[in-house]
Amino acid sequence: MSELSSGRRLDALGRTGLDAASDAMFDRFAEMVRTVLNVPVSLVSLVTADRQIFPGACGLADPWAQDRETPLSHSFCQHVVASASPLVVVDARKDPRVQDNLAIEDLGVIGYAGMPLTDAEGQVLGSLCAIDQVPRDWTERELSLLRDLAAACSDSLRLRIASHDVAASFARSRLLLSAASALAATTTLDDVATTVHELVTTMLDPAYVGISELAPGREVVLASAQYLPSHLGERWSRYSEDVRTPSALAASTGEVVLLPDLAAVAARTPDALSTFHELGWQAAASWPLPGPRGPIGSLTFVWKRPFDLNADQQAMLGALAGYVAHAVTRAGVLDDRRTAAATMQKALLTPLPRCEPVQMAARYAPAHHENHVGGDWYDAIAFDGGRLALVIGDVVGHSVEAAATMSQYRSTLRTLIVDRQESPSWVLRRLERTGMALGTSGLATVLLAYLDPAPTGGYDLTWSNAGHPPPTHVSSGTARMLSGTDPLIGLGRDLARRDHSARLPAGSRLLLHTDGLVESRTMPVDLGLERLGEMLTRHVDTPLEELADLLIETAVAQGHDDVALLLVATPDT
């Protein structure tokens, strides 16, 4: 009986809020039927696709009185729904319409009279029925009374549905307001997919919410694969728009695709049918995501039951699709921006030069902010004779603008280092003068050091520090900070700057780093420097590359700032 599985009828049943449990109002209707018609059993029976439930019942024996439901094999009321007309049975054992029904034996149903219970659209949701356990010739007066009680009972069902619809309308408005706010805060496609899934799950109870993009080359790219089994996520990760799925059909045509049952899925989107069967899905709806030059993708919902969306639900999901389209577009722009910025940052951090027998390792990690770039940098330049120039710097800020300022300072400083063999302090003074003359704005901390082989063994380190965290020297199992600092770059044209020097014995290690390595929201710099020293002494035998990884992983786990570091190891002899 296809009428039983109608999506709109089942939706109306769901909106009554009734289930296989006693309801005081409908129990009273059942009691009135039993009293007025003088029958042993009376029921308010609502018929679903696979069972009948009794929110109102009088006279039922156990276990039926406890269960408040039966399978359709025991249902006379399903015939009322299927025919949309009353069913009157004098003796069920002799009536070809119901003589094979198991309710005759199990519930003692012999005489039966059932009147349709309808919603405001005239859909039959169930039956108000009177049951006798002996043959019964129903009089016209009895049937008229039952018909009047069924009309009143239908009014009560309609009131339940109307109350549900008012509450649902308020919930939809609240959902759209929440969607506007929540989606405005998303920055990636994963964020968008997660947010939409969380928004609609409690309201429409979909089994799956899918977001797809229409990529160049007219391919559909799935952005919500994390909510599918892995093999299906991989299968549908990217496919041609000619493949007939709800998502592809909506994205390619720009039209809303409503598939209330499996028959509609098979007819319009047969390429998706095997996935529906595998996951137990039975219905779907897909909205195109509007863009300035046509659809940019689709928003798809699926259910594990037939589901025929009403006009209000369609309007709500259409509005939600508009919000999602804006969020997807913004996420794409931000992703392009992040990619371009990260590419620029990577290009600015050139590979370290080979400078045997000295070893070096460097790392950079951006803070967890939108652009994934910032003003931190490291640099090293090798000269003839074994001299090595080492640089660590940090422009204030975490934006693309900070990265651009960093690139200006870095390029200028590289030129000045190579141009003349001056002391570090004079190079930094010239950097400041040059920056001001060329209009480079922005405060920066910079440490410039020269590492030279010492004639008597070991290495000589000479450095100047413009407001930067001090470097750390590790030798013979002891870590010490190399103190001495001057004002930041960008504060004045001719500020005095000093040089400092130290002898690094053979087998020394030197760490230059930005403040992100030792500072976090929960840890002051002094404590961070102390812990850094302890960590360096614990790992004096750890290979340089492994130590660099360990330092950067620790910083990223506990910090919120960009981190750059440069590790240098002098030979043992």
Side-chain angles (χ1 to χ4, degrees), residues 29 32-33 36-37 86 114-117 128 140-156 158:
F29 274 107
M32 283 189 285
V33 170
V36 171
L37 272 66
M115 296 294 167
L117 297 175
L128 179 64
E140 183 55 40
R141 180 177 179 277
E142 289 173 332
L143 295 178
S144 178
L145 288 171
L146 185 60
R147 189 178 298 110
D148 289 344
L149 287 171
C153 189
S154 293
D155 287 340
S156 295
R158 294 169 187 174

Side-chain angles (χ1 to χ4, degrees), residues 297-315:
S298 57
L299 175 64
T300 302
F301 305 87
V302 298
W303 292 270
K304 287 191 172 184
R305 58 186 172 88
F307 199 92
D308 197 355
L309 292 164
N310 61 37
D312 287 341
Q313 291 168 332
Q314 291 182 39

Side-chain angles (χ1 to χ4, degrees), residues 362-384:
R363 297 290 185 271
Y364 170 79
H368 298 293
H369 54 78
E370 180 179 296
N371 295 309
H372 293 278
V373 295
D376 291 22
W377 86 95
Y378 60 81
D379 203 355
I381 303 172
F383 294 93
D384 293 339

